[in-house]
């Protein structure tokens, strides 16, 4: 059973635009919701994470929006840049286990 | 400071062979987790070790095993390789036994022919 469903599978955004990636989960016991960024040939790197007690967290151009009742959370990348082109993974979990989504390949075109 | 290092970077094996992958965590980190990432998919959890003890195991067959050494480095062993084992194998380290703040290495790309 898939713990987290991520969409879209791929995304093309113009430079300066907003990139939005969505994830949905089922298990209400999850209490940790991170986003990872992976460049080709590299391992994933933690980008930003949120706990279910807040609805939004912002770090620079990256924002997580969290909707506990809908069991959904999303990553917003403001003022998207070509350097943001990468694969983004949402994940769900708790203290000792993190489960990843299937990934979204983002391409930011000039 | 060095990040998580993994060796080898690439590996080609044939079906039925055995493979050993190695990981050195960030200095001071005591936990190592292993993940398998098939092309186009997210990383799938295989094992976590903390203080040389297994703390978690994902849904992988017994052909997969791992261990952690006193210096906190780790090995992942896969026996009787199948074509479907072809993937990027990622190691992640963290200071404590939580997977929440973990740092990934660049991975070992395994191709099974």
């Amino acid at each position: 059973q898939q713990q987290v469903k991520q969409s879209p599978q791929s995304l093309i955004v113009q430079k300066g635009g907003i990139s939005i990636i969505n994830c949905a989960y089922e298990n209400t016991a999850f209490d940790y919701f991170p986003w990872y960024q992976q460049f080709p040939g590299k391992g994933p790197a933690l980008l930003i994470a949120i706990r279910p007690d807040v609805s939004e967290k912002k770090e620079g151009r990256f924002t997580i929006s969290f909707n506990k009742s809908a069991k959904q959370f999303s990553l917003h990348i403001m003022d998207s840049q070509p350097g943001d082109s990468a694969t983004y993974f949402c994940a769900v979990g708790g203290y000792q286990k993190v489960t990843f989504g299937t990934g979204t390949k983002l391409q930011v075109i000039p | 400071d060095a990040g998580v290092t993994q060796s080898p970077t690439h590996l080609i094996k044939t079906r039925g062979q055995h493979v050993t992958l190695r990981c050195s965590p960030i200095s001071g980190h005591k936990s190592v987790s292993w993940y398998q990432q098939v092309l186009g998919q997210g990383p799938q959890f295989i094992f976590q070790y903390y203080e040389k003890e297994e703390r978690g195991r994902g849904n992988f067959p017994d052909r997969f095993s791992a261990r952690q050494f006193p210096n906190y480095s780790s090995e992942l062993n896969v026996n009787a390789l199948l074509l479907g084992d072809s993937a990027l194998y990622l190691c992640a380290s963290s200071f404590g036994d939580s997977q929440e703040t973990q740092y990934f290495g660049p991975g070992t790309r395994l191709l099974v022919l």
Side-chain angles (χ1 to χ4, degrees):
Chain A
Q1 183 182 2
Q2 202 172 357
Q3 301 268 34
V4 58
K5 295 182 180 179
Q6 183 172 345
S7 63
Q9 190 174 5
S10 62
L11 183 60
I12 299 175
V13 173
Q14 286 224 298
K15 178 182 176 181
I18 302 174
S19 304
I20 302 174
I21 305 171
N22 302 296
C23 280
Y25 63 98
E26 288 296 325
N27 189 341
T28 56
F30 295 136
D31 64 356
Y32 179 66
F33 302 89
W35 286 91
Y36 285 80
Q37 179 188 57
Q38 186 175 28
F39 292 104
K42 303 285 187 182
L46 179 63
L47 195 60
I48 186 172
I50 198 168
R51 300 282 184 190
D53 54 344
V54 296
S55 60
E56 186 175 281
K57 183 175 182 180
K58 183 176 180 179
E59 289 184 2
R61 297 185 294 110
F62 301 92
T63 299
I64 297 180
S65 295
F66 185 80
N67 187 328
K68 189 174 181 178
S69 60
K71 292 186 284 186
Q72 296 176 348
F73 60 110
S74 60
L75 176 69
H76 296 236
I77 306 174
M78 313 298 288
D79 186 27
S80 299
Q81 299 296 314
D84 297 330
S85 297
T87 300
Y88 292 81
F89 294 95
C90 65
V92 294
Y95 188 76
Q96 287 199 315
K97 187 177 179 183
V98 171
T99 301
F100 287 78
T102 52
T104 297
K105 188 171 184 179
L106 170 65
Q107 184 181 0
V108 181
I109 55 177
Chain B
D1 282 344
V4 177
T5 58
Q6 293 186 243
S7 63
T9 55
H10 295 82
L11 203 52
I12 300 176
K13 292 285 189 177
T14 56
R15 282 178 297 175
Q17 284 189 313
H18 162 271
V19 68
T20 297
L21 310 180
R22 295 177 175 83
C23 170
S24 292
I26 291 171
S27 178
H29 284 194
K30 301 179 179 180
S31 175
V32 168
S33 296
W34 287 96
Y35 293 82
Q36 180 195 65
Q37 186 176 20
V38 174
L39 197 62
Q41 297 293 318
Q44 297 290 313
F45 172 69
I46 308 175
F47 286 109
Q48 184 195 12
Y49 277 78
Y50 175 71
E51 290 280 18
K52 302 178 286 288
E53 292 188 359
E54 183 182 303
R55 283 299 187 97
R57 174 185 286 250
N59 188 23
F60 280 80
D62 292 344
R63 299 184 296 107
F64 289 76
S65 64
R67 56 180 174 167
Q68 188 177 32
F69 298 100
N71 66 353
Y72 302 110
S73 66
S74 178
E75 282 183 354
L76 176 70
N77 294 282
V78 187
N79 292 323
L81 285 167
L82 303 175
L83 296 180
D85 295 331
S86 296
L88 180 68
Y89 288 85
L90 294 161
C91 172
S93 78
S94 55
F95 177 73
D97 62 350
S98 170
Q99 287 189 354
E100 290 185 354
T101 307
Q102 55 185 344
Y103 299 85
F104 282 86
T108 293
R109 175 75 62 186
L110 172 65
L111 177 62
V112 182
L113 300 176

